[in-house]
């Protein structure tokens, strides 16, 4: 049964390997170039000297490190558009690998032959889903490791690993996204039972769930921290902390007067701030990266398991 499943689905698997090979041909040279420039700028050394505290004293060294970070982003920031492609890849697995898995059998009528042999429907489903899931997990792990290595210098020099896009293509969540997309495609195939509508359903469902989790759930996995600091003081947010800034504004006596803005820090006597003016920050600390990764991975693993169970139940009722 395993050998038969491999023979039937080896072409999509080999095609996925070929796509990853093409991506590697782009990622390796650009990744090496970014890492070489990152070292030439001395960004690793200056960021390490800043530490991981959320607030630090504004000095010339801090300003210089920030300037080097901006310079690095100007040179390689366009590569973030390539990273958007990596966000889309798991959805393509669900559309082109998951959705046709059952839908094509039912649409072409071959399920009547396959499911009436000595192997039961449940065993056929468990073997097929397990085999395709294992292949997908291996390929997704390779993809996640490669993208994490490639994206690390750009993320370190900019907003940190918790920010949108950076979080989505690094760590272990890409593997969970890919397995979820595969399971969603399989379930869509059992629901619609035609390939093209199932592919559209898988793509739309994946986009809705991903956006909902990313925008509505992720900022609240753990209670956010709040910090205020004076625009005329010497304290400033640490650009090397990797904190995920959720909201920032300028307040006077607790009332927001400048949304999405920050004043200072500037030396005493050189800022014309009214008495009672403060900078207000709401953020998730950068050291919560792996905690957030574990939480979001758990969410998508549970969704994947539920979709597989629903798909098997529906297969048992297909005539």
């Amino acid at each position: 049964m395993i050998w038969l499943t491999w023979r039937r689905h080896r072409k999509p698997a080999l095609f996925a390997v070929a796509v990853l090979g093409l991506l590697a041909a782009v990622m390796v040279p650009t990744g090496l170039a970014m890492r070489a420039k990152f070292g030439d700028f001395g960004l690793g050394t200056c960021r390490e000297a800043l530490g991981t505290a959320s607030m630090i004293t504004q000095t010339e060294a801090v300003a210089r490190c920030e300037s080097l970070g901006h310079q690095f982003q100007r040179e390689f920031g366009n590569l973030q558009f390539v990273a958007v492609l990596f966000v889309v890849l798991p959805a393509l697995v669900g559309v082109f690998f998951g959705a046709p898995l059952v839908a094509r059998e039912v649409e072409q009528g071959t399920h009547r032959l396959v499911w009436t042999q000595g192997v039961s429907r449940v065993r056929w489903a468990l073997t097929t889903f397990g085999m395709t899931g294992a292949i997908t997990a291996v390929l997704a792990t390779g993809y996640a490791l490669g993208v994490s290595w490639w994206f690390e210098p750009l993320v370190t020099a900019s907003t940190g690993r918790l920010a949108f896009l950076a979080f989505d293509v690094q760590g272990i969540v890409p593997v969970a996204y890919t397995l979820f997309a595969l399971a969603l495609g399989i379930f869509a195939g059992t629901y619609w039972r035609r390939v093209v509508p199932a592919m559209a359903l898988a793509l739309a469902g994946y986009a809705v769930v991903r956006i909902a989790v990313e925008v509505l759930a992720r900022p609240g996995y753990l209670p956010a921290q709040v910090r205020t600091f004076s625009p005329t003081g010497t304290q400033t947010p640490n650009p090397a902390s990797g904190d995920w800034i959720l909201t920032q504004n300028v307040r006077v006596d607790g009332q927001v007067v400048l949304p999405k803005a920050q004043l200072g820090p500037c030396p005493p006597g050189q800022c014309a701030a009214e008495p009672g003016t403060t900078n207000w920050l709401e953020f998730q600390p950068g050291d919560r990266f792996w905690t957030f990764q574990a939480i979001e991975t758990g969410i998508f693993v549970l969704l994947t398991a539920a979709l597989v169970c629903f798909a098997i139940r529906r297969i048992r009722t297909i005539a």
Side-chain angles (χ1 to χ4, degrees), residues 143-165:
Y143 145 82
L145 290 173
V147 175
S148 295
W149 172 83
W150 177 81
F151 212 31
E152 183 183 4
L154 196 55
V155 170
T156 304
S158 56
T159 54
R161 296 185 296 172
L162 272 176
F164 291 126
L165 183 62

Side-chain angles (χ1 to χ4, degrees), residues 87-210:
V87 177
V88 178
L89 277 180
L92 299 182
V93 171
V95 170
F96 294 104
F97 202 27
L101 210 59
V102 176
R104 179 167 292 132
E105 298 278 7
V106 179
E107 186 178 62
Q108 297 179 348
T110 54
H111 68 293
R112 294 190 179 90
L113 173 64
V114 175
W115 295 350
T116 53
Q117 302 302 310
V119 177
S120 67
R121 294 187 184 193
V122 174
R123 184 182 171 190
W124 176 88
L126 290 175
T127 305
T128 303
F129 298 170
M131 188 79 179
T132 53
I135 294 172
T136 302
V138 170
L139 294 176
T141 301
Y143 145 82
L145 290 173
V147 175
S148 295
W149 172 83
W150 177 81
F151 212 31
E152 183 183 4
L154 196 55
V155 170
T156 304
S158 56
T159 54
R161 296 185 296 172
L162 272 176
F164 291 126
L165 183 62
F167 184 89
D168 300 327
V169 298
Q170 295 197 101
I172 56 177
V173 289
V175 180
Y177 294 156
T178 309
L179 291 175
F180 167 72
L182 177 69
L184 183 60
I186 293 172
F187 174 74
T190 64
Y191 182 80
W192 211 290
R193 306 179 189 179
R194 291 188 179 277
V195 175
V196 175
M199 294 168 77
L201 185 63
L203 181 61
Y206 179 82
V208 169
V209 174
R210 278 293 315 279

Side-chain angles (χ1 to χ4, degrees), residues 228-248:
T228 60
F229 60 99
S230 172
T232 58
T234 59
Q235 292 293 296
T236 186
N238 185 355
S241 66
D243 294 341
W244 181 21
I245 306 300
L246 302 176
T247 309
Q248 69 174 11

Side-chain angles (χ1 to χ4, degrees), residues 1-317:
M1 188 68 192
I2 293 175
W3 174 247
L4 177 62
T5 304
W6 164 248
R7 293 271 299 178
R8 296 183 67 213
H9 302 290
R10 61 182 175 179
K11 286 185 178 178
L14 294 175
F15 177 76
V17 172
V19 171
L20 290 179
L22 289 175
L23 288 175
V26 177
M27 290 165 58
V28 170
T30 54
L32 291 174
M34 280 197 290
R35 286 174 175 273
K37 187 64 74 172
F38 193 84
D40 293 342
F41 280 5
L43 271 169
T45 304
C46 83
R47 293 238 161 197
E48 186 176 348
L50 297 182
T52 57
S54 294
M55 300 294 294
I56 57 174
T57 302
Q58 179 69 39
T59 62
E60 289 186 4
V62 174
R64 181 175 177 277
C65 200
E66 282 188 287
S67 175
L68 289 174
H70 294 320
Q71 189 176 344
F72 186 84
Q73 290 176 56
R74 283 196 297 273
E75 190 159 344
F76 294 101
N78 290 335
L79 291 178
Q80 291 190 357
F81 293 106
V82 179
V84 174
L85 173 64
F86 299 141
V87 177
V88 178
L89 277 180
L92 299 182
V93 171
V95 170
F96 294 104
F97 202 27
L101 210 59
V102 176
R104 179 167 292 132
E105 298 278 7
V106 179
E107 186 178 62
Q108 297 179 348
T110 54
H111 68 293
R112 294 190 179 90
L113 173 64
V114 175
W115 295 350
T116 53
Q117 302 302 310
V119 177
S120 67
R121 294 187 184 193
V122 174
R123 184 182 171 190
W124 176 88
L126 290 175
T127 305
T128 303
F129 298 170
M131 188 79 179
T132 53
I135 294 172
T136 302
V138 170
L139 294 176
T141 301
Y143 145 82
L145 290 173
V147 175
S148 295
W149 172 83
W150 177 81
F151 212 31
E152 183 183 4
L154 196 55
V155 170
T156 304
S158 56
T159 54
R161 296 185 296 172
L162 272 176
F164 291 126
L165 183 62
F167 184 89
D168 300 327
V169 298
Q170 295 197 101
I172 56 177
V173 289
V175 180
Y177 294 156
T178 309
L179 291 175
F180 167 72
L182 177 69
L184 183 60
I186 293 172
F187 174 74
T190 64
Y191 182 80
W192 211 290
R193 306 179 189 179
R194 291 188 179 277
V195 175
V196 175
M199 294 168 77
L201 185 63
L203 181 61
Y206 179 82
V208 169
V209 174
R210 278 293 315 279
I211 292 173
V213 171
E214 186 166 330
V215 175
L216 301 177
R218 189 186 301 166
Y221 287 160
L222 292 175
Q225 295 186 6
V226 174
R227 181 162 286 116
T228 60
F229 60 99
S230 172
T232 58
T234 59
Q235 292 293 296
T236 186
N238 185 355
S241 66
D243 294 341
W244 181 21
I245 306 300
L246 302 176
T247 309
Q248 69 174 11
N249 51 57
V250 178
R251 301 186 176 195
V252 176
D253 296 332
Q255 301 297 318
V256 177
V257 294
L258 290 175
K260 300 180 181 178
Q262 176 188 322
L263 292 179
C266 56
Q270 297 186 21
C271 284
E274 296 181 18
T277 303
T278 58
N279 289 301
W280 189 90
L281 282 178
E282 183 182 31
F283 65 97
Q284 293 286 358
D287 59 6
R288 292 180 176 177
F289 174 76
W290 285 111
T291 303
F292 276 41
Q293 285 267 322
I295 293 172
E296 193 149 317
T297 299
I299 291 173
F300 279 94
V301 168
L302 289 176
L303 290 173
T304 300
L307 286 168
V308 170
C309 290
F310 291 148
I312 291 175
R313 290 186 60 182
R314 291 194 63 83
I315 283 175
R316 298 176 66 179
T317 62

